[in-house]
Amino acid sequence: VQLQASGGGLVQAGGSLRLSCRASGGLNNAVGWFRQAPGKEREFVAAILRISGRPYYSDFVKGRFTISRDNAENTVDLQMNSLKPEDTAVYYCATGPVILTNRASNYNSWGKGTLVTVSS
């Protein structure tokens, strides 16, 4: 499966962006979003189970980000509201596991990232 993330850009603090992950080929049950800021390790943002739609969020995005899926379109979106400068990072989507997990090592298919820059 090949994944393509899109929707990144430059936004002011407090603004919103919607990222989209489109898959060519079959997605596994869990699809996740991760991010990596300059000089930092990749960290988990959110994941969703495609069959049930059950989401799983990291603590630092709860209440601000919403993950959703469209199985007919083979896409998983990440709606990001109330963005903060510390949300600046390259965002990646990934698939692989059959359960919700925040461990990057459980995801075996990764797309190229999309850059999100939040200015203060």
Side-chain angles (χ1 to χ4, degrees):
V1 57
Q2 290 186 326
L3 304 176
Q4 179 64 52
S6 62
L10 173 64
V11 64
Q12 288 188 333
S16 298
L17 281 175
R18 188 175 184 90
L19 305 184
S20 185
C21 178
R22 179 172 294 275
S24 57
L27 283 169
N28 289 325
N29 192 24
V31 179
W33 283 95
F34 291 77
R35 70 186 187 186
Q36 188 167 18
K40 295 187 177 181
E41 294 186 352
R42 189 170 298 189
E43 62 181 356
F44 171 76
V45 176
I48 191 167
L49 288 178
R50 293 181 62 248
I51 294 176
S52 67
R54 179 186 173 192
Y56 174 30
Y57 297 99
S58 64
D59 288 341
F60 55 79
V61 302
K62 281 181 181 177
R64 299 190 299 126
F65 293 9
T66 302
I67 190 170
S68 61
R69 91 286 192 222
D70 184 333
N71 292 338
E73 294 292 326
N74 232 17
T75 58
V76 172
D77 289 354
L78 185 69
Q79 176 67 41
M80 306 187 297
N81 299 327
S82 303
L83 283 162
K84 305 175 182 179
E86 51 264 43
D87 293 318
T88 294
V90 177
Y91 284 71
Y92 301 86
C93 61
T95 190
V98 295
I99 59 172
L100 286 175
T101 175
N102 61 1
R103 298 182 63 178
S105 59
N106 289 120
Y107 293 79
N108 53 29
S109 295
W110 293 78
K112 293 182 180 179
T114 185
L115 176 63
V116 171
T117 304
V118 184
S119 63
S120 57

